[in-house]
Amino acid sequence: MQLPIDRVFKGIIYTIKGVFLPELSSPYARAQAIAISSILHNVMVRMASIDKLQLAQNNSLEEIFQRMERILSEHSNVFKEEDAKELLGEISQQLQTKYESNNPLADENCALKQMLEKVIEFLWTIKEAGGNETLKELHDSIRHFLKQEVEAELSLLSPIDMAGVSKGK
């Protein structure tokens, strides 16, 4: 029988706080144990919500790429057609890819973010050519996605109990 990962983390945290910490007499060692416990708690929280976060990110990125396909096909006068065809081909292939690994959600998330990098590079070449107004909607979508990603990451962090760490309690 395999224990769920959150129970493993809770057990480790409980052991640190309930068994090791009371036996430590050095304030430095106590502070280190508290910091480790806090870090493990953060990791546990992140792991519990990572699948939901990655699924939401993947859906948002797929929407952005579908919007980009539509915009590029409607505004071909703003960019080099061969560059757009190559990128559209890569996007289309990416959107059709099915991942069959141990962690397909994470693999897809990584691939979609790599594709986002290519899209951003492509948009910079268009901006340099003076076509930034035509693609403002796409720029805004990407900016919104990146803002949401940072906010989601920050929401998963809980601050280390610095008062407890500094006092060794």
mmCIF file of all heavy atoms in Angstrom, residues 90-136:
data_model
loop_
_atom_site.group_PDB
_atom_site.id
_atom_site.type_symbol
_atom_site.label_atom_id
_atom_site.label_comp_id
_atom_site.label_asym_id
_atom_site.label_seq_id
_atom_site.Cartn_x
_atom_site.Cartn_y
_atom_site.Cartn_z
ATOM 1 N N GLU A 90 3.966 24.707 -36.119
ATOM 2 C CA GLU A 90 4.430 24.247 -34.801
ATOM 3 C C GLU A 90 3.301 24.325 -33.773
ATOM 4 O O GLU A 90 3.145 23.418 -32.951
ATOM 5 C CB GLU A 90 5.620 25.081 -34.334
ATOM 6 C CG GLU A 90 6.889 24.818 -35.109
ATOM 7 C CD GLU A 90 8.060 25.643 -34.599
ATOM 8 O OE1 GLU A 90 8.210 25.763 -33.366
ATOM 9 O OE2 GLU A 90 8.820 26.170 -35.438
ATOM 10 N N ILE A 91 2.525 25.403 -33.818
ATOM 11 C CA ILE A 91 1.402 25.546 -32.881
ATOM 12 C C ILE A 91 0.383 24.439 -33.122
ATOM 13 O O ILE A 91 -0.080 23.789 -32.181
ATOM 14 C CB ILE A 91 0.740 26.935 -33.025
ATOM 15 C CG1 ILE A 91 1.672 28.017 -32.477
ATOM 16 C CG2 ILE A 91 -0.606 26.975 -32.314
ATOM 17 C CD1 ILE A 91 1.198 29.435 -32.745
ATOM 18 N N SER A 92 0.040 24.225 -34.373
ATOM 19 C CA SER A 92 -0.932 23.190 -34.709
ATOM 20 C C SER A 92 -0.462 21.813 -34.231
ATOM 21 O O SER A 92 -1.230 21.058 -33.643
ATOM 22 C CB SER A 92 -1.172 23.178 -36.217
ATOM 23 O OG SER A 92 -2.085 22.173 -36.558
ATOM 24 N N GLN A 93 0.795 21.522 -34.474
ATOM 25 C CA GLN A 93 1.358 20.246 -34.035
ATOM 26 C C GLN A 93 1.320 20.140 -32.509
ATOM 27 O O GLN A 93 0.962 19.108 -31.958
ATOM 28 C CB GLN A 93 2.786 20.099 -34.538
ATOM 29 C CG GLN A 93 3.418 18.773 -34.176
ATOM 30 C CD GLN A 93 4.839 18.656 -34.726
ATOM 31 O OE1 GLN A 93 5.316 19.505 -35.480
ATOM 32 N NE2 GLN A 93 5.515 17.598 -34.343
ATOM 33 N N GLN A 94 1.664 21.233 -31.842
ATOM 34 C CA GLN A 94 1.664 21.241 -30.377
ATOM 35 C C GLN A 94 0.263 20.993 -29.830
ATOM 36 O O GLN A 94 0.075 20.232 -28.884
ATOM 37 C CB GLN A 94 2.209 22.571 -29.851
ATOM 38 C CG GLN A 94 2.153 22.723 -28.346
ATOM 39 C CD GLN A 94 2.917 21.645 -27.632
ATOM 40 O OE1 GLN A 94 4.066 21.409 -27.920
ATOM 41 N NE2 GLN A 94 2.274 20.974 -26.706
ATOM 42 N N LEU A 95 -0.735 21.638 -30.421
ATOM 43 C CA LEU A 95 -2.103 21.501 -29.929
ATOM 44 C C LEU A 95 -2.658 20.095 -30.149
ATOM 45 O O LEU A 95 -3.583 19.680 -29.454
ATOM 46 C CB LEU A 95 -3.014 22.546 -30.581
ATOM 47 C CG LEU A 95 -2.723 23.995 -30.186
ATOM 48 C CD1 LEU A 95 -3.614 24.949 -30.967
ATOM 49 C CD2 LEU A 95 -2.893 24.205 -28.693
ATOM 50 N N GLN A 96 -2.077 19.361 -31.090
ATOM 51 C CA GLN A 96 -2.544 18.004 -31.378
ATOM 52 C C GLN A 96 -1.748 16.931 -30.636
ATOM 53 O O GLN A 96 -2.149 15.774 -30.620
ATOM 54 C CB GLN A 96 -2.477 17.739 -32.878
ATOM 55 C CG GLN A 96 -3.436 18.602 -33.667
ATOM 56 C CD GLN A 96 -3.235 18.444 -35.167
ATOM 57 O OE1 GLN A 96 -2.605 17.516 -35.619
ATOM 58 N NE2 GLN A 96 -3.779 19.382 -35.927
ATOM 59 N N THR A 97 -0.648 17.320 -30.010
ATOM 60 C CA THR A 97 0.216 16.351 -29.345
ATOM 61 C C THR A 97 -0.468 15.795 -28.102
ATOM 62 O O THR A 97 -1.030 16.532 -27.303
ATOM 63 C CB THR A 97 1.562 17.006 -28.941
ATOM 64 O OG1 THR A 97 2.193 17.491 -30.118
ATOM 65 C CG2 THR A 97 2.470 16.020 -28.247
ATOM 66 N N LYS A 98 -0.416 14.484 -27.957
ATOM 67 C CA LYS A 98 -0.921 13.792 -26.768
ATOM 68 C C LYS A 98 0.279 13.217 -26.029
ATOM 69 O O LYS A 98 1.105 12.530 -26.614
ATOM 70 C CB LYS A 98 -1.891 12.668 -27.148
ATOM 71 C CG LYS A 98 -3.100 13.133 -27.939
ATOM 72 C CD LYS A 98 -3.983 14.040 -27.118
ATOM 73 C CE LYS A 98 -5.162 14.531 -27.942
ATOM 74 N NZ LYS A 98 -5.610 15.828 -27.578
ATOM 75 N N TYR A 99 0.375 13.498 -24.760
ATOM 76 C CA TYR A 99 1.515 13.057 -23.960
ATOM 77 C C TYR A 99 1.162 11.777 -23.218
ATOM 78 O O TYR A 99 0.120 11.680 -22.589
ATOM 79 C CB TYR A 99 1.928 14.167 -22.988
ATOM 80 C CG TYR A 99 2.433 15.372 -23.714
ATOM 81 C CD1 TYR A 99 1.567 16.362 -24.157
ATOM 82 C CD2 TYR A 99 3.778 15.498 -24.012
ATOM 83 C CE1 TYR A 99 2.031 17.454 -24.861
ATOM 84 C CE2 TYR A 99 4.249 16.594 -24.719
ATOM 85 C CZ TYR A 99 3.371 17.555 -25.133
ATOM 86 O OH TYR A 99 3.835 18.638 -25.838
ATOM 87 N N GLU A 100 2.045 10.807 -23.316
ATOM 88 C CA GLU A 100 1.807 9.510 -22.687
ATOM 89 C C GLU A 100 2.990 9.135 -21.796
ATOM 90 O O GLU A 100 3.552 8.055 -21.922
ATOM 91 C CB GLU A 100 1.566 8.454 -23.755
ATOM 92 C CG GLU A 100 0.328 8.749 -24.585
ATOM 93 C CD GLU A 100 0.058 7.697 -25.643
ATOM 94 O OE1 GLU A 100 0.624 6.603 -25.556
ATOM 95 O OE2 GLU A 100 -0.727 7.998 -26.549
ATOM 96 N N SER A 101 3.339 10.031 -20.900
ATOM 97 C CA SER A 101 4.450 9.792 -19.992
ATOM 98 C C SER A 101 3.894 9.565 -18.590
ATOM 99 O O SER A 101 2.683 9.473 -18.395
ATOM 100 C CB SER A 101 5.393 10.990 -20.003
ATOM 101 O OG SER A 101 4.707 12.137 -19.540
ATOM 102 N N ASN A 102 4.782 9.507 -17.613
ATOM 103 C CA ASN A 102 4.336 9.354 -16.225
ATOM 104 C C ASN A 102 3.602 10.594 -15.732
ATOM 105 O O ASN A 102 2.765 10.513 -14.849
ATOM 106 C CB ASN A 102 5.535 9.085 -15.302
ATOM 107 C CG ASN A 102 6.098 7.703 -15.508
ATOM 108 O OD1 ASN A 102 5.434 6.811 -16.016
ATOM 109 N ND2 ASN A 102 7.350 7.526 -15.118
ATOM 110 N N ASN A 103 3.941 11.735 -16.287
ATOM 111 C CA ASN A 103 3.313 12.986 -15.873
ATOM 112 C C ASN A 103 2.949 13.813 -17.111
ATOM 113 O O ASN A 103 3.595 14.828 -17.397
ATOM 114 C CB ASN A 103 4.244 13.760 -14.928
ATOM 115 C CG ASN A 103 3.514 14.823 -14.151
ATOM 116 O OD1 ASN A 103 2.378 15.167 -14.456
ATOM 117 N ND2 ASN A 103 4.177 15.365 -13.147
ATOM 118 N N PRO A 104 1.910 13.409 -17.833
ATOM 119 C CA PRO A 104 1.587 14.083 -19.093
ATOM 120 C C PRO A 104 1.195 15.545 -18.922
ATOM 121 O O PRO A 104 1.497 16.377 -19.773
ATOM 122 C CB PRO A 104 0.426 13.264 -19.656
ATOM 123 C CG PRO A 104 -0.126 12.509 -18.497
ATOM 124 C CD PRO A 104 0.993 12.317 -17.528
ATOM 125 N N LEU A 105 0.547 15.878 -17.816
ATOM 126 C CA LEU A 105 0.124 17.253 -17.592
ATOM 127 C C LEU A 105 1.339 18.179 -17.484
ATOM 128 O O LEU A 105 1.389 19.240 -18.097
ATOM 129 C CB LEU A 105 -0.722 17.325 -16.323
ATOM 130 C CG LEU A 105 -1.594 18.548 -16.114
ATOM 131 C CD1 LEU A 105 -2.545 18.747 -17.287
ATOM 132 C CD2 LEU A 105 -2.370 18.408 -14.828
ATOM 133 N N ALA A 106 2.335 17.750 -16.727
ATOM 134 C CA ALA A 106 3.557 18.553 -16.565
ATOM 135 C C ALA A 106 4.336 18.634 -17.875
ATOM 136 O O ALA A 106 4.866 19.695 -18.227
ATOM 137 C CB ALA A 106 4.431 17.966 -15.467
ATOM 138 N N ASP A 107 4.394 17.532 -18.610
ATOM 139 C CA ASP A 107 5.105 17.534 -19.891
ATOM 140 C C ASP A 107 4.433 18.474 -20.883
ATOM 141 O O ASP A 107 5.101 19.234 -21.592
ATOM 142 C CB ASP A 107 5.172 16.116 -20.475
ATOM 143 C CG ASP A 107 6.072 15.199 -19.664
ATOM 144 O OD1 ASP A 107 6.876 15.709 -18.848
ATOM 145 O OD2 ASP A 107 5.961 13.978 -19.837
ATOM 146 N N GLU A 108 3.103 18.427 -20.929
ATOM 147 C CA GLU A 108 2.373 19.325 -21.821
ATOM 148 C C GLU A 108 2.578 20.775 -21.394
ATOM 149 O O GLU A 108 2.794 21.657 -22.221
ATOM 150 C CB GLU A 108 0.885 18.982 -21.820
ATOM 151 C CG GLU A 108 0.072 19.893 -22.726
ATOM 152 C CD GLU A 108 -1.412 19.605 -22.704
ATOM 153 O OE1 GLU A 108 -1.909 18.973 -21.747
ATOM 154 O OE2 GLU A 108 -2.084 20.016 -23.658
ATOM 155 N N ASN A 109 2.540 21.036 -20.089
ATOM 156 C CA ASN A 109 2.735 22.378 -19.572
ATOM 157 C C ASN A 109 4.094 22.920 -19.991
ATOM 158 O O ASN A 109 4.209 24.061 -20.445
ATOM 159 C CB ASN A 109 2.584 22.367 -18.043
ATOM 160 C CG ASN A 109 2.551 23.745 -17.451
ATOM 161 O OD1 ASN A 109 3.585 24.246 -17.022
ATOM 162 N ND2 ASN A 109 1.378 24.355 -17.419
ATOM 163 N N CYS A 110 5.120 22.104 -19.859
ATOM 164 C CA CYS A 110 6.472 22.515 -20.236
ATOM 165 C C CYS A 110 6.544 22.819 -21.736
ATOM 166 O O CYS A 110 7.090 23.841 -22.151
ATOM 167 C CB CYS A 110 7.464 21.420 -19.856
ATOM 168 S SG CYS A 110 9.173 21.826 -20.208
ATOM 169 N N ALA A 111 5.969 21.944 -22.556
ATOM 170 C CA ALA A 111 5.996 22.140 -24.010
ATOM 171 C C ALA A 111 5.211 23.388 -24.418
ATOM 172 O O ALA A 111 5.638 24.142 -25.301
ATOM 173 C CB ALA A 111 5.435 20.907 -24.714
ATOM 174 N N LEU A 112 4.074 23.619 -23.774
ATOM 175 C CA LEU A 112 3.276 24.804 -24.091
ATOM 176 C C LEU A 112 4.017 26.083 -23.712
ATOM 177 O O LEU A 112 3.963 27.081 -24.429
ATOM 178 C CB LEU A 112 1.918 24.746 -23.385
ATOM 179 C CG LEU A 112 0.923 23.731 -23.952
ATOM 180 C CD1 LEU A 112 -0.270 23.574 -23.018
ATOM 181 C CD2 LEU A 112 0.462 24.119 -25.344
ATOM 182 N N LYS A 113 4.732 26.054 -22.609
ATOM 183 C CA LYS A 113 5.499 27.242 -22.204
ATOM 184 C C LYS A 113 6.672 27.482 -23.146
ATOM 185 O O LYS A 113 7.015 28.623 -23.434
ATOM 186 C CB LYS A 113 5.956 27.107 -20.756
ATOM 187 C CG LYS A 113 4.800 27.296 -19.784
ATOM 188 C CD LYS A 113 5.233 27.166 -18.348
ATOM 189 C CE LYS A 113 4.041 27.366 -17.428
ATOM 190 N NZ LYS A 113 4.414 27.178 -16.024
ATOM 191 N N GLN A 114 7.256 26.413 -23.658
ATOM 192 C CA GLN A 114 8.316 26.576 -24.655
ATOM 193 C C GLN A 114 7.735 27.174 -25.935
ATOM 194 O O GLN A 114 8.365 28.021 -26.579
ATOM 195 C CB GLN A 114 9.004 25.242 -24.933
ATOM 196 C CG GLN A 114 9.882 24.778 -23.790
ATOM 197 C CD GLN A 114 10.441 23.385 -24.002
ATOM 198 O OE1 GLN A 114 9.993 22.631 -24.853
ATOM 199 N NE2 GLN A 114 11.429 23.038 -23.203
ATOM 200 N N MET A 115 6.543 26.741 -26.299
ATOM 201 C CA MET A 115 5.879 27.304 -27.471
ATOM 202 C C MET A 115 5.555 28.776 -27.231
ATOM 203 O O MET A 115 5.687 29.614 -28.135
ATOM 204 C CB MET A 115 4.596 26.526 -27.792
ATOM 205 C CG MET A 115 3.846 27.044 -29.007
ATOM 206 S SD MET A 115 4.803 27.047 -30.544
ATOM 207 C CE MET A 115 5.091 25.306 -30.763
ATOM 208 N N LEU A 116 5.167 29.128 -26.018
ATOM 209 C CA LEU A 116 4.887 30.521 -25.688
ATOM 210 C C LEU A 116 6.140 31.378 -25.900
ATOM 211 O O LEU A 116 6.045 32.499 -26.409
ATOM 212 C CB LEU A 116 4.397 30.654 -24.241
ATOM 213 C CG LEU A 116 4.065 32.072 -23.785
ATOM 214 C CD1 LEU A 116 2.924 32.663 -24.609
ATOM 215 C CD2 LEU A 116 3.716 32.083 -22.301
ATOM 216 N N GLU A 117 7.301 30.851 -25.546
ATOM 217 C CA GLU A 117 8.553 31.580 -25.785
ATOM 218 C C GLU A 117 8.735 31.866 -27.276
ATOM 219 O O GLU A 117 9.111 32.974 -27.662
ATOM 220 C CB GLU A 117 9.751 30.783 -25.267
ATOM 221 C CG GLU A 117 9.842 30.722 -23.759
ATOM 222 C CD GLU A 117 10.994 29.865 -23.281
ATOM 223 O OE1 GLU A 117 11.997 29.727 -24.026
ATOM 224 O OE2 GLU A 117 10.902 29.337 -22.167
ATOM 225 N N LYS A 118 8.452 30.876 -28.118
ATOM 226 C CA LYS A 118 8.573 31.068 -29.560
ATOM 227 C C LYS A 118 7.586 32.120 -30.055
ATOM 228 O O LYS A 118 7.905 32.940 -30.914
ATOM 229 C CB LYS A 118 8.343 29.746 -30.300
ATOM 230 C CG LYS A 118 9.449 28.744 -30.104
ATOM 231 C CD LYS A 118 9.160 27.469 -30.863
ATOM 232 C CE LYS A 118 10.263 26.449 -30.644
ATOM 233 N NZ LYS A 118 10.036 25.226 -31.408
ATOM 234 N N VAL A 119 6.369 32.078 -29.507
ATOM 235 C CA VAL A 119 5.344 33.049 -29.898
ATOM 236 C C VAL A 119 5.788 34.457 -29.520
ATOM 237 O O VAL A 119 5.664 35.401 -30.317
ATOM 238 C CB VAL A 119 3.980 32.692 -29.246
ATOM 239 C CG1 VAL A 119 3.001 33.853 -29.351
ATOM 240 C CG2 VAL A 119 3.406 31.444 -29.882
ATOM 241 N N ILE A 120 6.325 34.607 -28.316
ATOM 242 C CA ILE A 120 6.778 35.928 -27.873
ATOM 243 C C ILE A 120 7.918 36.423 -28.765
ATOM 244 O O ILE A 120 7.936 37.595 -29.168
ATOM 245 C CB ILE A 120 7.185 35.893 -26.387
ATOM 246 C CG1 ILE A 120 5.928 35.697 -25.518
ATOM 247 C CG2 ILE A 120 7.918 37.174 -25.995
ATOM 248 C CD1 ILE A 120 6.218 35.413 -24.053
ATOM 249 N N GLU A 121 8.858 35.550 -29.100
ATOM 250 C CA GLU A 121 9.938 35.939 -30.015
ATOM 251 C C GLU A 121 9.369 36.387 -31.355
ATOM 252 O O GLU A 121 9.808 37.382 -31.937
ATOM 253 C CB GLU A 121 10.902 34.770 -30.219
ATOM 254 C CG GLU A 121 11.790 34.489 -29.038
ATOM 255 C CD GLU A 121 12.648 33.247 -29.240
ATOM 256 O OE1 GLU A 121 12.826 32.806 -30.399
ATOM 257 O OE2 GLU A 121 13.136 32.711 -28.240
ATOM 258 N N PHE A 122 8.390 35.639 -31.865
ATOM 259 C CA PHE A 122 7.758 35.988 -33.139
ATOM 260 C C PHE A 122 7.081 37.352 -33.042
ATOM 261 O O PHE A 122 7.194 38.185 -33.941
ATOM 262 C CB PHE A 122 6.742 34.908 -33.525
ATOM 263 C CG PHE A 122 6.020 35.195 -34.801
ATOM 264 C CD1 PHE A 122 6.629 34.967 -36.033
ATOM 265 C CD2 PHE A 122 4.726 35.694 -34.790
ATOM 266 C CE1 PHE A 122 5.964 35.242 -37.223
ATOM 267 C CE2 PHE A 122 4.057 35.960 -35.971
ATOM 268 C CZ PHE A 122 4.674 35.736 -37.181
ATOM 269 N N LEU A 123 6.390 37.594 -31.933
ATOM 270 C CA LEU A 123 5.707 38.871 -31.758
ATOM 271 C C LEU A 123 6.693 40.033 -31.700
ATOM 272 O O LEU A 123 6.386 41.131 -32.162
ATOM 273 C CB LEU A 123 4.831 38.846 -30.500
ATOM 274 C CG LEU A 123 3.612 37.938 -30.588
ATOM 275 C CD1 LEU A 123 2.892 37.896 -29.254
ATOM 276 C CD2 LEU A 123 2.674 38.372 -31.701
ATOM 277 N N TRP A 124 7.875 39.808 -31.145
ATOM 278 C CA TRP A 124 8.888 40.864 -31.114
ATOM 279 C C TRP A 124 9.339 41.221 -32.526
ATOM 280 O O TRP A 124 9.572 42.388 -32.821
ATOM 281 C CB TRP A 124 10.093 40.466 -30.256
ATOM 282 C CG TRP A 124 9.876 40.782 -28.815
ATOM 283 C CD1 TRP A 124 9.661 39.893 -27.807
ATOM 284 C CD2 TRP A 124 9.813 42.078 -28.213
ATOM 285 N NE1 TRP A 124 9.464 40.545 -26.620
ATOM 286 C CE2 TRP A 124 9.566 41.900 -26.844
ATOM 287 C CE3 TRP A 124 9.947 43.364 -28.700
ATOM 288 C CZ2 TRP A 124 9.450 42.957 -25.954
ATOM 289 C CZ3 TRP A 124 9.829 44.424 -27.804
ATOM 290 C CH2 TRP A 124 9.590 44.213 -26.464
ATOM 291 N N THR A 125 9.447 40.224 -33.398
ATOM 292 C CA THR A 125 9.855 40.533 -34.773
ATOM 293 C C THR A 125 8.768 41.350 -35.473
ATOM 294 O O THR A 125 9.067 42.234 -36.264
ATOM 295 C CB THR A 125 10.154 39.263 -35.592
ATOM 296 O OG1 THR A 125 8.975 38.472 -35.707
ATOM 297 C CG2 THR A 125 11.267 38.452 -34.967
ATOM 298 N N ILE A 126 7.517 41.054 -35.159
ATOM 299 C CA ILE A 126 6.414 41.817 -35.753
ATOM 300 C C ILE A 126 6.404 43.236 -35.190
ATOM 301 O O ILE A 126 6.212 44.205 -35.917
ATOM 302 C CB ILE A 126 5.064 41.123 -35.492
ATOM 303 C CG1 ILE A 126 5.007 39.807 -36.257
ATOM 304 C CG2 ILE A 126 3.909 42.025 -35.891
ATOM 305 C CD1 ILE A 126 3.800 38.971 -35.948
ATOM 306 N N LYS A 127 6.636 43.360 -33.880
ATOM 307 C CA LYS A 127 6.654 44.692 -33.259
ATOM 308 C C LYS A 127 7.734 45.554 -33.897
ATOM 309 O O LYS A 127 7.523 46.733 -34.168
ATOM 310 C CB LYS A 127 6.887 44.566 -31.754
ATOM 311 C CG LYS A 127 6.822 45.884 -31.039
ATOM 312 C CD LYS A 127 6.964 45.709 -29.539
ATOM 313 C CE LYS A 127 6.856 47.062 -28.861
ATOM 314 N NZ LYS A 127 6.977 46.974 -27.431
ATOM 315 N N GLU A 128 8.887 44.948 -34.139
ATOM 316 C CA GLU A 128 9.978 45.685 -34.778
ATOM 317 C C GLU A 128 9.609 46.109 -36.191
ATOM 318 O O GLU A 128 10.105 47.102 -36.697
ATOM 319 C CB GLU A 128 11.253 44.838 -34.777
ATOM 320 C CG GLU A 128 11.841 44.663 -33.386
ATOM 321 C CD GLU A 128 12.937 43.619 -33.325
ATOM 322 O OE1 GLU A 128 13.265 43.004 -34.359
ATOM 323 O OE2 GLU A 128 13.454 43.405 -32.220
ATOM 324 N N ALA A 129 8.703 45.354 -36.825
ATOM 325 C CA ALA A 129 8.275 45.696 -38.186
ATOM 326 C C ALA A 129 7.109 46.692 -38.181
ATOM 327 O O ALA A 129 6.611 47.068 -39.222
ATOM 328 C CB ALA A 129 7.861 44.425 -38.928
ATOM 329 N N GLY A 130 6.651 47.073 -36.984
ATOM 330 C CA GLY A 130 5.591 48.076 -36.891
ATOM 331 C C GLY A 130 4.191 47.525 -36.860
ATOM 332 O O GLY A 130 3.240 48.269 -37.053
ATOM 333 N N GLY A 131 4.006 46.268 -36.572
ATOM 334 C CA GLY A 131 2.666 45.673 -36.565
ATOM 335 C C GLY A 131 2.103 45.422 -35.190
ATOM 336 O O GLY A 131 1.280 44.551 -35.013
ATOM 337 N N ASN A 132 2.512 46.211 -34.231
ATOM 338 C CA ASN A 132 2.093 45.934 -32.863
ATOM 339 C C ASN A 132 0.617 46.202 -32.593
ATOM 340 O O ASN A 132 0.024 45.547 -31.755
ATOM 341 C CB ASN A 132 2.968 46.682 -31.858
ATOM 342 C CG ASN A 132 2.999 48.171 -32.091
ATOM 343 O OD1 ASN A 132 2.578 48.650 -33.136
ATOM 344 N ND2 ASN A 132 3.493 48.891 -31.109
ATOM 345 N N GLU A 133 -0.020 47.128 -33.240
ATOM 346 C CA GLU A 133 -1.437 47.417 -32.997
ATOM 347 C C GLU A 133 -2.331 46.259 -33.443
ATOM 348 O O GLU A 133 -3.319 45.960 -32.804
ATOM 349 C CB GLU A 133 -1.851 48.718 -33.697
ATOM 350 C CG GLU A 133 -1.394 49.960 -32.984
ATOM 351 C CD GLU A 133 -1.863 50.036 -31.543
ATOM 352 O OE1 GLU A 133 -3.059 49.796 -31.264
ATOM 353 O OE2 GLU A 133 -1.020 50.327 -30.670
ATOM 354 N N THR A 134 -1.986 45.637 -34.531
ATOM 355 C CA THR A 134 -2.786 44.538 -35.054
ATOM 356 C C THR A 134 -2.842 43.374 -34.074
ATOM 357 O O THR A 134 -3.854 42.701 -33.956
ATOM 358 C CB THR A 134 -2.185 44.034 -36.386
ATOM 359 O OG1 THR A 134 -2.052 45.149 -37.256
ATOM 360 C CG2 THR A 134 -3.057 42.990 -37.023
ATOM 361 N N LEU A 135 -1.765 43.185 -33.334
ATOM 362 C CA LEU A 135 -1.679 42.028 -32.440
ATOM 363 C C LEU A 135 -1.831 42.410 -30.969
ATOM 364 O O LEU A 135 -1.474 41.634 -30.088
ATOM 365 C CB LEU A 135 -0.347 41.319 -32.668
ATOM 366 C CG LEU A 135 -0.168 40.806 -34.100
ATOM 367 C CD1 LEU A 135 1.253 40.353 -34.324
ATOM 368 C CD2 LEU A 135 -1.143 39.690 -34.394
ATOM 369 N N LYS A 136 -2.398 43.585 -30.695
ATOM 370 C CA LYS A 136 -2.552 44.035 -29.315
ATOM 371 C C LYS A 136 -3.354 43.035 -28.486
ATOM 372 O O LYS A 136 -3.023 42.769 -27.332
ATOM 373 C CB LYS A 136 -3.201 45.411 -29.276
ATOM 374 C CG LYS A 136 -3.293 45.968 -27.863
ATOM 375 C CD LYS A 136 -3.827 47.372 -27.872
ATOM 376 C CE LYS A 136 -3.948 48.012 -26.514
ATOM 377 N NZ LYS A 136 -3.769 47.239 -25.346
#
